[in-house]
Amino acid sequence: MSLDGWVRVAATSELLPGETRVAWDGDTPILVVNFDGRFYALEDRCTHEDYELSAGPFDPADGTIECMLHGARFDVRDGRPQCGPAYVPVRTFSVRVEDGAVWTRDDR
């Protein structure tokens, strides 16, 4: 379901701290992460080899997600790479919490 271009990801009670969920805005997969009670959204695509970041582990201690393919890590707050082989940031997207639900959108 979408509302004014926003895509519903999950109820806030369904996306607890440390958990992730993938939502689709058209053809764009968006990985939404609950990091310490705050929600962040980034494109579910490693900038090194175009692999799904959602397949890799999220580290709730430092707020990074690791690409399973070659081990690149990205900060979920701003998409910046934390180590090679990725050197280009992952695109981030807007997130809003409204009426007990988490929403995101591809706002390019």
Side-chain angles (χ1 to χ4, degrees):
M1 170 163 82
S2 69
L3 178 66
D4 297 329
W6 291 87
V7 176
R8 187 179 187 279
V9 178
T12 54
S13 62
E14 297 172 336
L15 191 55
L16 301 175
E19 294 184 338
T20 65
R21 178 81 51 99
V22 176
W24 288 83
D25 190 350
D27 292 336
T28 305
I30 301 175
L31 175 63
V32 180
V33 179
N34 183 335
F35 176 42
D36 262 350
R38 297 199 58 181
F39 298 96
Y40 300 93
L42 53 155
E43 192 165 5
D44 189 17
R45 183 183 73 79
C46 178
T47 57
H48 170 246
E49 282 288 330
D50 195 23
Y51 194 76
E52 300 168 337
L53 290 175
S54 59
F58 169 63
D59 185 340
D62 65 6
T64 60
I65 189 129
E66 181 178 340
C67 179
M68 291 281 296
L69 196 58
H70 295 115
R73 283 192 331 273
F74 299 88
D75 190 313
V76 298
R77 293 165 286 199
D78 57 18
R80 289 181 309 160
Q82 302 299 297
C83 66
Y87 298 101
V88 175
V90 173
R91 181 179 303 278
T92 59
F93 299 107
S94 300
V95 175
R96 76 179 192 191
V97 176
E98 188 173 297
D99 296 328
V102 181
W103 300 77
T104 190
R105 71 176 176 187
D106 181 350
D107 47 11
R108 290 182 267 191

